[in-house]
Amino acid sequence: MSFTDRKIEISILGLSALMVVGLGYLVKEPVKTAVAEVQELIYEMPRPKNSFLAALFDLGDREVSRKYVNPFAKKKEEAKKTAEAKKPAAPVAPKAVAQKKNETKKSEDPNKKKVEVQIVGEDPGTTLTDDGFMGDGGPSQKPFSDVAGNGSEKTQQQQPDKNALSGTQWKALMRAQPTKENLTKLLQAYDSKEVDDQTFYEIVTDLFSSNRGETQALGLVAVKSVYSAKSFAVTAQYYDQLPTDMQQQAQTYLMSYAVTARLPMLVSALQSSNAVVVETAAQVVIEGHTKAKDGVSTPADPRNSRGDVTTNAIAGYSKFIPVFQQLAQSSDPTIKNLANTALSQIQTTVAAL
């Protein structure tokens, strides 16, 4: 194949070479400039070497503040203070002491009356008074009073404790650690008015709602320490959830309200909106009235309350007549039957007095 046959290929190759050479000539200057600028950079800090911006980073005309700290100066000062503290105090002159005593005597008013204050020691430590569960009921234990409007003693005013727990903290503590020790502290706080009724009974409800018998037993101990219509209602509501052996203890506790001093609490329980509470209170009233008529005293533990908690007089049941007259109109057949039964027995007995 001759030269003339490859004219087109040779022309294309020549044109390509010419374009490459021309392109290299065009980008030669920009590449040199970029390389030169890169070489002029100092990488000690990201700042240009030869530029007007370099003056902004120059420390030549600036004053550098230097402060020398002696690491041993503090130790010397402490040693000096220790040495001065160990020096014995200068003795006070006898004349100065005598003069000071005379000035003190003169400043006192000879006609001022003096008041003598006798400080009485604290009562012994408080522990729970349950039937063998939290304490032995000995004389060293402090009884908890009935929460009733009749015959209750005035609560002593106590100074507020800055370290006292709030209601939320008490609920969180008893939910996390329902122990005998924490319950003892809770009852002491409730007795001293550091815990209000709402918080106390919310905690008692949590204890009764537990699926552990030990925790439910703490709830029963709590209500035994505070006799009130609310304690009666809470126990009646959770009676069926208690273990069988604990139900006997709860029944004894509920029946302990059938005494003259606690009958007003049963009146309040009969006026409850909870049908279970009303039925339980009516049954306690009927059984208590029967025992009073037969002369049988209601068993009650006087350690946890004040006043007469053993007398069960027939005359005290007359206050239930208007309450049962209202309940006899109830739409609940169980409550209606209990009310009619109680009303018939009480009216007959009171009429015979």
Side-chain angles (χ1 to χ4, degrees):
M1 184 177 291
S2 62
F3 175 76
T4 56
D5 296 332
R6 292 183 177 272
K7 287 181 180 180
I8 296 176
E9 290 83 350
I10 294 173
S11 298
I12 293 173
L13 291 174
L15 183 60
S16 299
L18 181 62
M19 291 177 64
V20 170
V21 173
L23 183 62
Y25 180 78
L26 290 175
V27 300
K28 180 179 178 181
E29 290 300 326
V31 170
K32 286 184 178 181
T33 303
V35 172
E37 290 180 356
V38 171
Q39 291 177 351
E40 289 178 358
L41 292 177
I42 300 175
Y43 288 97
E44 295 178 358
M45 285 183 64
R47 60 177 181 268
K49 183 177 180 182
N50 297 323
S51 174
F52 71 93
L53 295 175
L56 299 177
F57 301 94
D58 187 18
L59 299 178
D61 297 334
R62 300 184 185 183
E63 295 182 0
V64 180
S65 177
R66 296 183 178 86
K67 182 179 179 181
Y68 174 73
V69 179
N70 185 3
F72 302 101
K74 187 175 180 181
K75 293 183 178 180
K76 291 181 180 180
E77 292 179 0
E78 292 178 355
K80 185 176 179 181
K81 291 180 181 179
T82 304
E84 291 178 355
K86 291 182 178 179
K87 290 182 180 180
V92 182
K95 293 183 178 180
V97 175
Q99 184 178 1
K100 188 175 182 180
K101 289 183 178 179
N102 293 333
E103 291 177 356
T104 304
K105 291 181 180 179
K106 291 179 181 180
S107 62
E108 294 181 353
D109 187 2
N111 298 326
K112 186 178 180 180
K113 297 182 179 180
K114 296 182 179 180
V115 179
E116 295 182 357
V117 180
Q118 182 179 4
I119 300 176
V120 182
E122 291 185 350
D123 291 338
T126 303
T127 56
L128 290 178
T129 57
D130 186 37
D131 297 333
F133 186 78
M134 298 290 284
D136 56 2
S140 63
Q141 295 176 330
K142 180 182 177 181
F144 294 92
S145 60
D146 286 353
V147 183
N150 53 336
S152 60
E153 296 182 1
K154 294 183 179 179
T155 305
Q156 295 181 354
Q157 298 293 333
Q158 299 182 0
Q159 294 294 333
D161 187 2
K162 296 181 179 179
N163 299 324
L165 299 179
S166 64
T168 304
Q169 290 173 329
W170 271 116
K171 287 187 284 187
L173 176 63
M174 293 304 298
R175 286 170 183 169
Q177 300 178 1
T179 62
K180 300 176 184 178
E181 292 77 10
N182 289 337
L183 180 61
T184 303
K185 296 176 183 178
L186 172 65
L187 292 174
Q188 291 174 351
Y190 179 72
D191 191 50
S192 60
K193 305 301 180 183
E194 295 177 10
V195 176
D196 57 11
D197 290 344
Q198 180 178 355
T199 301
F200 177 76
Y201 285 106
E202 285 180 1
I203 294 174
V204 172
T205 301
D206 289 340
L207 295 175
F208 274 134
S209 302
S210 175
N211 55 3
R212 298 176 65 250
E214 297 84 354
T215 305
Q216 292 177 320
L218 295 177
L220 189 57
V221 173
V223 294
K224 283 185 177 181
S225 301
V226 183
Y227 278 85
S228 68
K230 184 64 175 177
S231 295
F232 182 94
V234 173
T235 307
Q237 290 176 16
Y238 291 92
Y239 177 84
D240 292 335
Q241 299 183 21
L242 299 176
T244 305
D245 57 339
M246 202 176 299
Q247 286 183 351
Q248 182 61 36
Q249 300 178 28
Q251 179 66 23
T252 303
Y253 166 71
L254 294 173
M255 284 305 305
S256 64
Y257 281 83
V259 292
T260 302
R262 295 173 186 160
L263 293 182
M265 302 177 192
L266 289 177
V267 173
S268 299
L270 287 171
Q271 297 171 348
S272 173
S273 59
N274 188 293
V276 175
V277 177
V278 175
E279 291 175 11
T280 305
Q283 291 171 358
V284 171
V285 171
I286 293 172
E287 187 172 351
H289 176 266
T290 302
K291 290 183 178 180
K293 184 175 61 174
D294 296 338
V296 179
S297 60
T298 301
D301 185 2
R303 296 177 299 174
N304 295 337
S305 56
R306 298 186 179 95
D308 186 0
V309 293
T310 57
T311 301
N312 187 20
I314 289 292
Y317 286 84
S318 60
K319 61 173 62 70
F320 291 103
I321 294 178
V323 179
F324 282 121
Q325 286 175 345
Q326 294 180 359
L327 293 177
Q329 308 299 324
S330 175
S331 58
D332 190 322
T334 304
I335 296 177
K336 185 175 182 179
N337 292 334
L338 288 172
N340 288 326
T341 301
L343 196 59
S344 174
Q345 292 181 4
I346 295 173
Q347 286 178 335
T348 301
T349 308
V350 172
L353 292 178

